[in-house]
Amino acid sequence: MTTDPSALTPAPAPVRHIRLTSHPGQGTAGAPAIRWGDPDPLARGPVVGSTTNRSQRNVVGTHSGSYGVYRALAVAAGNLTRGHRADLTNTSPTDEIGPYAQWGDPSKMVSIDPWGASVQKVYADYLAQGYDIRPTIAVTKAHVHLPEIKQALAFQRLKVDGRILLEDASASVTKVAVEPVWWLPGVAKRFNVSEADLRRALFEETGGMYPELVTRSDIDVFLPPIGGQTLYVFGDIRDLAKPEVTLTARVHDECNGSDVFGSDICTCRPYLTHAIEECIRGAQAGGVGLIAYSRKEGRALGEVTKFLVYNARKRQVGGDSADKYFLRTECVAGVQDMRFQELMPDVLHWLGIRKIHRLVSMSNDKYDAITGSGIEVGERVPIPDELIPADAKVEMEAKIAAGYFTEGAVPTEADLAQVKGRGLE
């Protein structure tokens, strides 16, 4: 991609008060300005989070922020050459995605760099000039093998079609890995807080790891040290942006114990595999399926906290009960849930989605976040009763009492009797 060389000259950033920084080697003299929300990637500017040349940096944090400490250990141990530059040859996406109108709307996307998958293409001249720009999104192809899909084939709920579902019972997917890129003014607006308060909280609650958050008010973009998202698309990924094509989707938050190891204290894996089956069925019928998987272990409280809560629930007087389900979490963590779904719809907008015909979810928080961002939702699909593990019944009772019902998910008389018996009606 060739461009007018003058277009690569960093335009002056808006005049803002600049405080002294504890990192004097880092300035903005050679750093491209970022104009978040500009639909032209060159006018918007690249995200440069490299530690190789600090004068080029225009963000707080580093690329692959959640793995930054591992990278530091590799450098310290001599396993990684300090200043290594990624060779991006043949790493471009297997599928072209976008650009879509939402990419240029700063109200639709505040936690993802929409151009993060195509830096090799749109910022080729910057790369040639020595800027260390790295992708924050990667798109590839794969096959997924799940025993639940083999079971669905055995019970003839699914059939091999040779396109979506293959003879070996694997499913063809497009996989997308997304790292978070936060535009701080937009994130603050989503949470209805001031940018100054957001920056201060991020600085203090990370033990002062990122002093630039409070010393560099001229830098608006932060690469947080948190896990990102993985997308699994069944069917043509471009169909996600077509409202006339039926889209079946699940937005799923990580639960390692259930998703990977099959722990039966919650419904996470059963709901996830049920959604995958629904996505495959929908894609085979001419639609498209999407699983958006977010790294938010233990309601974003972490796995240690989650296991502590398990113990507290099981050992309390009277045993595990729905009326204490959320209370015990709050007693340990100080809050019931930190998954905050306000940023979740960004990835849906990045895909160009305007309508989800079938949302496989019981969560009102997710539904409200999606519809509140302007995406239409049709049917909401609950988990079938027969997929709920025995040890997860308490979870379901608690969610019923908390109002997790979706349209069409009517509680049974037994459900209501259990809720009433526990004083949760």
Side-chain angles (χ1 to χ4, degrees):
M1 180 178 181
T2 58
T3 59
D4 180 356
S6 64
L8 294 177
T9 302
V15 177
R16 302 178 65 176
H17 177 64
I18 302 177
R19 303 170 190 156
L20 292 176
T21 174
S22 58
H23 297 270
Q26 179 177 332
T28 57
I34 297 179
R35 297 181 179 84
W36 197 272
D38 196 302
D40 181 343
L42 288 178
R44 201 292 303 269
V47 170
V48 187
S50 170
T51 58
T52 304
N53 186 338
R54 291 188 175 274
S55 68
Q56 296 178 355
R57 290 170 49 80
N58 56 9
V59 300
V60 178
T62 67
H63 287 306
S64 302
S66 62
Y67 294 95
V69 173
Y70 286 110
R71 187 168 58 245
L73 288 174
V75 170
N79 295 332
L80 175 64
T81 302
R82 187 185 300 274
H84 169 75
R85 289 282 300 275
D87 180 355
L88 300 177
T89 304
N90 293 330
T91 62
S92 58
T94 56
D95 298 76
E96 288 288 334
I97 300 172
Y100 297 115
Q102 294 97 314
W103 292 20
D105 184 345
S107 70
K108 299 292 187 187
M109 206 171 305
V110 302
S111 63
I112 293 173
D113 174 12
W115 302 100
S118 51
V119 299
Q120 306 97 309
K121 178 180 178 181
V122 298
Y123 298 124
D125 290 341
Y126 272 109
L127 290 166
Q129 291 181 28
Y131 284 84
D132 187 8
I133 306 167
R134 304 191 185 187
T136 56
I137 302 175
V139 185
T140 190
K141 296 283 193 184
H143 296 141
V144 294
H145 296 257
L146 293 169
E148 290 87 349
I149 298 306
K150 290 185 177 180
Q151 185 182 61
L153 284 168
F155 284 91
Q156 299 185 339
R157 296 196 307 269
L158 290 176
K159 295 183 178 180
V160 170
D161 67 301
R163 182 178 67 94
I164 304 297
L165 198 51
L166 308 181
E167 289 289 346
D168 64 354
S170 67
S172 296
V173 296
T174 300
K175 291 202 304 185
V176 184
V178 182
E179 292 179 349
V181 179
W182 287 7
W183 180 52
L184 293 173
V187 172
K189 188 173 181 180
R190 285 276 180 92
F191 285 90
N192 295 314
V193 300
S194 72
E195 184 183 344
D197 286 344
L198 173 65
R199 285 173 175 267
R200 174 63 62 179
L202 289 169
F203 169 70
E204 292 178 347
E205 295 303 320
T206 56
M209 283 177 63
Y210 300 95
E212 300 98 327
L213 286 168
V214 291
T215 63
R216 294 298 304 273
S217 58
D218 58 313
I219 299 179
D220 285 339
V221 177
F222 176 42
L223 305 184
I226 60 174
Q229 297 166 296
T230 307
L231 312 176
Y232 292 82
V233 181
F234 302 81
D236 190 336
I237 197 168
R238 287 166 285 270
D239 285 343
L240 292 169
K242 300 175 181 177
E244 67 274 15
V245 177
T246 299
L247 168 57
T248 301
R250 174 165 177 78
V251 177
H252 188 92
D253 293 328
E254 178 183 25
C255 178
N256 181 66
S258 179
D259 295 342
V260 179
F261 294 99
S263 173
D264 64 353
I265 198 171
C266 63
T267 60
C268 295
R269 182 181 174 97
Y271 217 157
L272 175 61
T273 56
H274 171 62
I276 291 173
E277 182 176 332
E278 292 292 329
C279 285
I280 292 172
R281 186 178 295 108
Q284 289 179 326
V288 61
L290 168 68
I291 302 293
Y293 192 97
S294 298
R295 294 319 189 288
K296 298 178 182 178
E297 178 62 61
R299 299 196 199 122
L301 301 170
E303 203 161 37
V304 168
T305 296
K306 181 165 71 171
F307 288 7
L308 294 175
V309 171
Y310 285 168
N311 286 346
R313 284 170 47 197
K314 298 283 189 178
R315 291 170 177 168
Q316 65 191 347
V317 177
D320 200 5
S321 64
D323 58 325
K324 299 293 196 309
Y325 179 83
F326 290 110
L327 176 62
R328 294 309 294 141
T329 302
E330 191 168 351
C331 288
V332 175
V335 65
Q336 292 181 3
D337 196 327
M338 290 199 310
R339 286 177 294 177
F340 301 114
Q341 301 296 343
E342 283 84 350
L343 303 179
M344 174 267 293
D346 288 23
V347 74
L348 306 179
H349 288 295
W350 179 72
L351 293 165
I353 292 173
R354 287 177 284 164
K355 181 175 182 178
I356 298 175
H357 301 75
R358 306 182 72 239
L359 179 63
V360 188
S361 175
M362 292 177 69
S363 170
N364 289 330
D365 285 346
K366 293 175 183 177
Y367 173 83
D368 291 344
I370 293 169
T371 57
S373 76
I375 297 174
E376 181 183 352
V377 173
E379 178 187 3
R380 298 170 69 182
V381 182
I383 184 172
D385 289 341
E386 62 269 20
L387 295 184
I388 300 173
D391 204 26
K393 295 293 185 183
V394 169
E395 175 198 20
M396 295 306 295
E397 292 173 24
K399 289 183 175 180
I400 288 169
Y404 271 58
F405 285 120
T406 61
E407 296 172 14
V410 181
T412 65
E413 289 186 10
D415 290 331
L416 294 175
Q418 288 177 330
V419 170
K420 187 173 182 180
R422 297 186 189 277
L424 302 175
E425 66 271 27

